Amino acid sequence: MEFWIIVTVSNLVVGALVGLCGVAGFLLPLIYTGPLGMDVAESLALSFAAFILSGALGSANYKKAGCLDIPFGIRLSAGSLAGALLGVKLNLVIPESAVKTLLYLVVLLSGISILLRKESAKTNTKKEPGGYQISHHLPATLALGFVTGMICSMSGAGGPVLVMPLLVVLGIEIRTAVGVALFNSIFIGIPACIGYLTQCLTARIFPVMAAALLSHGIGVTWGSKNAVRINQILLKKGIGLFSICIAVWKLLC
């Protein structure tokens, strides 16, 4: 009974956080391999299945709220799909500790950059029309998608924890960045989930997956529907601080 309670509650809470701010999905592999004692392949298969669902539900709600740039999301996801396929294969040969270190170093730098970008823009009353925006550059968009897709599929991160802060740094508005990152996580999750499922006993984890997806879906739906009610500046600051704290914690552990 304790096992099922942890699965249900953790997916509900993590799903709500993913819907609200786009980050927190990377906590699921830690829960599955930690208190639940599942092996890495099972934990990653379950986690990426949840990321597919949260990406679909969350991005649909962000689209309804006008916070999803679909053409840009498709271009980014084309790179991520290829990167995720490679990432699953590299997971078998690269030490997990090295991948985790790389992931959280990028998250740390992204969180710092978000806060610095906000500080430097305090004196401006209008949004600057100029500046670099990655959505205007196809090669850079594909490259970002490929690299982030590869890292996320190797490490078990859902995508938004890495993609969303980078998009903000590269000129994408915060809520649009969350919506695109959620959309993008579908294309990271599909090849990763399939790849890790081939290493599992599916009959063993399918009941767990059903319970996890149900509670995760409820959490994501609630979070993404209520995200637009949160002050944008406060959301941006919170995401930056959250990224820094999690990265420092994981790097020091």
Side-chain angles (χ1 to χ4, degrees):
M1 179 61 70
E2 181 181 355
F3 176 90
W4 294 104
I5 292 174
I6 294 175
V7 169
T8 302
V9 173
S10 61
N11 273 277
L12 184 66
V13 173
V14 171
L17 291 174
V18 169
L20 283 171
C21 64
V23 295
F26 60 89
L27 295 173
L28 286 178
L30 303 180
I31 295 169
Y32 285 127
T33 57
L36 294 179
M38 303 183 77
D39 65 39
V40 172
E42 289 177 334
S43 69
L44 292 180
L46 290 168
S47 297
F48 280 110
F51 301 155
I52 295 169
L53 179 63
S54 61
L57 294 175
S59 59
N61 285 324
Y62 273 84
K63 177 63 172 63
K64 291 177 183 178
C67 300
L68 175 58
D69 184 343
I70 291 181
F72 172 59
I74 291 174
R75 295 193 296 271
L76 181 70
S77 298
S80 293
L81 186 63
L85 288 169
L86 177 60
V88 172
K89 296 182 181 299
L90 291 177
N91 179 270
L92 301 175
V93 297
I94 296 179
E96 184 179 349
S97 59
V99 176
K100 292 287 187 181
T101 299
L102 174 61
L103 171 67
Y104 288 107
L105 278 174
V106 175
V107 172
L108 174 63
L109 294 175
S110 298
I112 293 172
S113 298
I114 288 175
L115 294 183
L116 291 178
R117 183 184 176 91
K118 178 180 182 298
E119 289 291 330
S120 64
K122 279 185 176 179
T123 57
N124 296 330
T125 57
K126 296 182 180 179
K127 186 177 180 180
E128 296 182 5
Y132 183 84
Q133 278 201 338
I134 192 172
S135 58
H136 299 161
H137 304 273
L138 179 59
T141 298
L142 293 173
L144 177 66
F146 182 85
V147 172
T148 54
M150 179 180 63
I151 293 173
C152 290
S153 65
M154 277 194 295
S155 63
V161 66
L162 181 59
V163 175
M164 186 280 304
L166 289 174
L167 291 181
V168 175
V169 171
L170 294 171
I172 305 300
E173 187 270 332
I174 180 66
R175 289 200 177 102
T176 300
V178 175
V180 169
L182 286 168
F183 179 77
N184 178 246
S185 67
I186 301 171
F187 298 88
I188 295 174
I190 290 174
C193 182
I194 293 173
Y196 291 119
L197 274 175
T198 60
Q199 305 173 41
C200 304
L201 295 174
T202 53
R204 167 185 158 92
I205 67 168
F206 274 167
V208 182
M209 185 177 293
L213 293 182
L214 177 60
S215 54
H216 193 77
I218 293 172
V220 171
T221 300
W222 179 88
S224 57
K225 285 183 176 180
N226 287 277
V228 294
R229 300 178 183 178
I230 298 177
N231 179 274
Q232 180 173 333
I233 296 177
L234 184 61
L235 177 62
K236 183 177 182 179
K237 181 178 180 180
I239 289 173
L241 289 173
F242 183 81
S243 300
I244 292 171
C245 291
I246 289 295
V248 171
W249 172 50
K250 293 304 299 176
L251 287 169
L252 293 179
C253 287

